[in-house]
């Protein structure tokens, strides 16, 4: 229930801020000030239907669907590459459907199911690191060709996290990390998109006035908001300076209208959702539920972190949406789908037990019951130990 309440608050907050950020922009671009807000409402309705279906569908049955879902995702990613036009090719049907969003969700599901099935053999490089690298490299490579490097990086990070939680060897994870760093450096140096994003970012770290126009406009909006903001709907930057205020720049609009206090409250709400998601993962009835819940909530939190960090100049420009706040049907529907899956895992809490061996790697990074001292175990296991301690008659 706390997770669902937080989600409801975030959705309502997102609609209010989207209306404020899109009213003028939507009128100028689409000729209707309510166009983007109405579309967001429509996609919210679609997403809530999918959320409800997934929340009441046993996540164990998803194992039968992950391979077909991955095939469909790959086909859509390939289809994007044949879209006519110049510049990045990231959407189908005039850009209204972005397969990379679906690919992120499907990648978490596929890796969760695959790692759960192979967890006994992950210490073997031929069964662990090499197949994982092939999976991540193939999907991430297709997304990188669009080019959408931020989505590719997201998939690599989630893959490494799930591999660790499933019990992967730290040496193999280190190798994966080194390869990822080398790949990131090569992309930054030898691709035009990488250079266009890294050069202003590095310059902005030295002097914020040398940042890109987007970041400078965002920092100006944040500074103008001060502690308590200019007031809801009273942002000036969304009219004059910020590019795409209902999408990439919406956090800057929030910071200007609600100030530092409102921005911190939003970040705290994302942090609360992230924490509650890991509570669900910790109490999951089996390791598959733990991997899926961990991967999904980490993905949502990383999307939020990326968007906010870009707006304050702490990350190169990524183009990630602010979950449940930025305008975008694909992102909203996929995020609600992810929450539906986490909700289903939460509903099955306590219906099974996880062995000590399965918990070992997970507890290393997600000890969510530190205030209980050594008793960092799930309810089901505490009950089992209590039963064992009772004297037998």
């Amino acid at each position: 229930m706390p997770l669902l309440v937080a989600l409801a608050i975030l959705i309502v907050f997102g609609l209010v801020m989207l209306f404020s950020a899109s009213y003028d922009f939507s009128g100028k671009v689409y000729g209707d000030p309510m166009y983007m807000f109405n579309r967001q409402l429509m996609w919210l309705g679609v997403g809530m239907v999918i959320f409800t279906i997934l929340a009441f569908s046993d996540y164990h049955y998803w194992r039968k669907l992950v391979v077909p879902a991955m095939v469909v995702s790959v086909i859509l990613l390939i289809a994007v590459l044949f879209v006519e036009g110049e510049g990045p090719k990231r959407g189908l049907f005039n850009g209204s459907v972005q397969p990379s969003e679906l690919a992120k969700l499907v990648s978490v599901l596929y890796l969760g199911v695959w790692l759960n099935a192979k967890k006994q053999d992950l210490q073997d490089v031929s069964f662990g690191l090499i197949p994982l690298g092939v999976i991540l490299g193939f999907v991430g490579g297709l997304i990188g060709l669009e080019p959408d490097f931020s989505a590719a990086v997201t998939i690599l990070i989630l893959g490494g996290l799930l591999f660790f939680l499933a019990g992967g060897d730290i040496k193999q994870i280190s190798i994966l990390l080194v390869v990822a760093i080398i790949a990131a450096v090569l992309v930054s140096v030898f691709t035009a998109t990488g250079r266009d994003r890294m050069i202003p970012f590095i310059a902005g770290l030295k002097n914020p006035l040398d940042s890109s126009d987007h970041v400078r406009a965002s920092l100006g909006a944040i500074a103008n908001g001060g502690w308590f903001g200019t007031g809801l709907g009273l942002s000036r930057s969304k009219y004059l300076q910020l590019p795409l205020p209902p999408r990439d720049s919406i956090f800057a609009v929030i910071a200007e209208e609600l100030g530092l206090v409102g921005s911190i409250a939003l970040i705290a709400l994302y942090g609360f959702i992230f924490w509650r998601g890991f509570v669900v993962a910790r109490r999951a009835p089996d390791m598959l539920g733990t991997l899926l819940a961990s991967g999904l909530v980490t993905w949502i939190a990383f999307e939020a972190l990326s968007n906010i960090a870009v707006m304050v100049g702490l990350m190169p420009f990524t183009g990630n949406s602010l979950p449940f706040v930025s305008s975008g049907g694909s992102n909203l529907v996929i995020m609600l789908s992810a929450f539906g899956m986490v909700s289903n895992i939460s509903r099955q809490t306590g219906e099974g037990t996880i062995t000590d061996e399965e918990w070992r790697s997970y507890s290393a990074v997600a000890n969510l019951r530190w205030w209980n001292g050594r008793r960092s175990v799930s309810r089901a296991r505490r009950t089992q130990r209590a039963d064992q301690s009772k004297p037998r008659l």
Side-chain angles (χ1 to χ4, degrees):
M1 187 56 65
L3 186 62
L4 294 180
V5 171
L7 174 62
I9 294 174
L10 183 58
I11 290 175
V12 173
F13 176 84
L15 289 175
V16 172
M17 295 311 306
L18 176 64
F19 177 80
S20 175
S22 67
Y23 192 84
D24 180 73
F25 180 86
S26 184
K28 292 179 179 178
V29 176
Y30 300 103
D32 179 7
M34 298 294 292
Y35 177 81
M36 298 184 74
F37 181 77
N38 289 336
R39 280 185 62 87
Q40 192 80 347
L41 285 178
M42 179 190 71
W43 287 115
L44 176 62
V46 174
M48 290 305 299
V49 171
I50 298 176
F51 169 88
T52 303
I53 293 173
L54 293 176
F56 290 92
S57 302
D58 190 345
Y59 69 90
H60 294 95
Y61 293 114
W62 304 338
R63 289 178 293 189
K64 303 177 182 179
L65 302 177
V66 290
V67 174
M70 179 60 79
V71 172
V72 171
S73 298
V74 169
I75 293 174
L76 292 176
L77 289 174
I78 295 175
V80 169
L81 301 179
F82 292 94
V83 174
E84 296 182 358
E86 299 180 356
K89 301 175 181 180
R90 299 174 183 173
L92 300 172
F93 306 106
N94 295 323
S96 60
V97 177
Q98 295 187 347
S100 61
E101 297 293 337
L102 176 63
K104 296 175 189 176
L105 175 63
V106 173
S107 295
V108 173
L109 299 180
Y110 185 89
L111 289 172
V113 172
W114 179 76
L115 289 169
N116 181 69
K118 301 291 185 181
K119 59 179 177 290
Q120 303 299 332
D121 302 316
L122 293 181
Q123 304 301 323
D124 189 339
V125 176
S126 60
F127 286 97
L129 181 62
I130 294 178
L132 178 69
V134 171
I135 296 171
L136 296 178
F138 182 69
V139 178
L142 287 176
I143 296 176
L145 290 175
E146 295 182 3
D148 189 351
F149 297 128
S150 61
V153 169
T154 301
I155 289 178
L156 290 175
I157 291 175
L158 293 175
L161 172 68
L162 291 175
F163 185 64
F164 177 56
L165 295 180
D169 182 53
I170 191 65
K171 294 180 180 179
Q172 297 184 38
I173 296 173
S174 300
I175 295 174
L176 182 66
L177 179 61
V178 170
V179 172
I181 293 175
I182 293 175
V185 172
L186 293 177
V187 168
S188 301
V189 173
F190 294 104
T191 65
T193 302
R195 290 193 299 270
D196 291 341
R197 295 185 179 183
M198 288 302 300
I199 292 175
F201 168 67
I202 295 175
L205 290 178
K206 299 177 181 178
N207 184 357
L209 296 178
D210 294 331
S211 303
S212 65
D213 295 340
H214 195 161
V215 174
R216 287 204 306 272
S218 174
L219 292 176
I222 295 171
N224 187 49
W227 282 95
F228 300 101
T230 58
L232 186 62
L234 300 180
S235 167
R236 295 194 299 268
S237 300
K238 64 185 179 184
Y239 299 115
L240 304 173
Q241 300 169 331
L242 288 173
L244 300 174
R247 295 174 182 160
D248 298 344
S249 305
I250 197 166
F251 179 77
V253 177
I254 295 171
E256 185 175 10
E257 295 187 353
L258 303 183
L260 180 62
V261 173
S263 302
I264 292 176
L266 176 61
I267 295 171
L269 184 58
Y270 280 118
F272 179 80
I273 290 174
F274 179 65
W275 169 62
R276 292 304 304 181
F278 265 82
V279 170
V280 171
R282 185 74 171 115
R283 297 174 178 175
D286 54 26
M287 200 62 186
L288 176 60
T290 294
L291 292 174
L292 293 180
S294 301
L296 292 172
V297 297
T298 301
W299 166 42
I300 295 171
F302 182 76
E303 292 276 329
L305 174 65
S306 299
N307 180 277
I308 295 172
V310 167
M311 289 297 99
V312 297
L314 294 180
M315 281 183 62
F317 187 81
T318 61
N320 288 26
S321 299
L322 191 61
F324 304 105
V325 180
S326 295
S327 172
S330 298
N331 182 266
L332 180 61
V333 171
I334 294 300
M335 287 292 175
L336 285 170
S337 301
F339 256 97
M341 297 174 185
V342 175
S343 178
N344 179 259
I345 297 171
S346 178
R347 293 178 65 247
Q348 300 189 44
T349 294
E351 296 184 6
T353 58
I354 304 180
T355 64
D356 289 335
E357 182 179 355
E358 288 178 316
W359 275 121
R360 189 173 303 150
S361 60
Y362 187 76
S363 297
V365 293
N367 184 1
L368 298 179
R369 294 186 174 272
W370 53 270
W371 54 82
N372 287 336
R374 297 182 179 179
R375 295 181 297 166
S376 55
V377 291
S378 65
R379 291 181 177 178
R381 291 179 61 200
R382 285 206 302 271
T383 302
Q384 183 180 17
R385 290 186 178 182
D387 292 340
Q388 292 175 352
S389 63
K390 293 181 180 179
R392 297 184 179 181
L393 301 178

